[in-house]
Amino acid sequence: MDWTTVRLADVLSERLVNGRSVRTREDGFPVLRLTALRSVTVNFTAVKDGDWTAQEAAPHLVEPNDLLVSRASGSLSLVGEGALVHEPPAPTAFPDTMIRVRVLHSAVNPRYLAHLWNSPVVRRQLEACTRKVGGGMYRITQSDLAKILLPLPKPDEQHRIVGLLEEYLARIDAAAAQARTAASRAAELSRLMTAQASLGRLSGGALAPRELPPAGTRDGMVPQLPADWRWTRLETIADVARGVTKDARGQWDPTAIEVPYLRVSNVQRGRLALDDVPTMRLPADRAKNFRLQPGDVLLTGGGDRDKLGRGWIWEEQLSDCVHQNHVFRVRVKDQLLHPKLLTWHANGFGRQWCERNATQSTGLASIGLGVIRLMPMPVPPPSEQQRLVELVEARTAALESATASAERALVLADRLRLTVLQHAFTGRLTHANGPLGHQESLL
């Protein structure tokens, strides 16, 4: 195999250059954002307006075939990521968060370099020389980049590898796009079905207006319900409570115990995300008072406006778990409403209702305890509730299976992408010995 290994420094046509820090200014000179490097080629829609004149920006303009590399990030996997410049749609500068790399085209095909840079071959080297600095940030320097080793075949072979590699990657990307579309459609169908079930649209009866006494909230036009359903307020069918506020004094209380607590980020629409659940120390009596019980519904009360009121059901996944003050605990009284019907309604109708009734301050939206208690709730007769839940769960089982299959396909696509890149830059990428094999059909 006629390959050589060279340092990046040995194939540079110009010295490495850091960008320059620039303040944002409306109608200023276009400057790339760091998110522009999220793919193999630079995304020129990810720009801001910088406080530069064209003359000031001139030394930092990007040109076709430049490789731009990120200098720092709070995530190790994003430090050193690189993207190739094609034809900029307009003169555009790069900021101090990037390093510009220009290579000798006689030695390195720029498209070959861009793919190589995002392959495991270079990624391992980048992460090995990345340093952790203050504030939880990771950083890489020009001298680090200059030492990166590049496996290079002859120019003709580089061209062949690029063509074959991009063919394989295009096939993987197309299959991954189909999987993402399938997962999105399945999720949308599931949301539609649960929302319809909670409003009686799957009950088969005629719909008619049902009275909902005013309570000083912005209810909008409440939907019609079947004849044997009724509208009421959340507070009439459930106890609603705010969670605990984290208090440093609990660290020193001799009776304090350490318990897991759920934040807004743990409570998603239709599921609980429990991969990262922090703990806090609380006096034993407070921990007992705030402890979640199986069947409790958790609803969010703070964050982005369109995410208020989202939630799901607690099923004792963690022992002695509590919830923070921006998460509401809804405990249904006397089995008046099935918790799944309650959450399906909150995640559908309740989403728009919370947006209308929320308050906003400094980018953070919130809905108060007194307000959330007034959310309109449709209540079917007891005999209808379990039948509806079973009906929806039977119909959504196939959708959940389709979503799981699509998610597995996306994981496989990521693995195949890395395999293709590894093969490409270790001399093993050929038409006869393609890395996809039967795995492509699984996508």
Side-chain angles (χ1 to χ4, degrees), residues 141-159:
T141 65
Q142 289 185 18
S143 61
D144 296 323
L145 295 191
K147 297 172 187 175
I148 295 295
L149 299 176
L150 309 175
L152 297 181
K154 298 294 185 182
D156 288 349
E157 178 65 4
Q158 291 182 35
H159 180 77

Side-chain angles (χ1 to χ4, degrees), residues 132-188:
K132 192 167 186 178
V133 295
M137 296 291 290
Y138 295 89
R139 188 175 298 277
I140 199 165
T141 65
Q142 289 185 18
S143 61
D144 296 323
L145 295 191
K147 297 172 187 175
I148 295 295
L149 299 176
L150 309 175
L152 297 181
K154 298 294 185 182
D156 288 349
E157 178 65 4
Q158 291 182 35
H159 180 77
R160 185 195 73 83
I161 288 173
V162 167
L164 193 53
L165 175 61
E166 291 182 348
E167 176 188 333
Y168 280 126
L169 292 178
R171 284 157 56 183
I172 293 172
D173 289 343
Q178 290 179 344
R180 281 190 290 270
T181 298
S184 177
R185 287 177 177 172
E188 183 58 33

Side-chain angles (χ1 to χ4, degrees), residues 102-130:
R102 289 178 174 169
V103 295
L104 296 166
H105 296 175
S106 59
V108 187
N109 181 318
R111 286 163 62 197
Y112 176 93
L113 177 62
H115 289 297
L116 172 60
W117 202 265
N118 288 283
S119 75
V121 174
V122 168
R123 188 69 237 167
R124 286 190 291 266
Q125 298 180 64
L126 291 169
E127 293 190 4
C129 61
T130 296

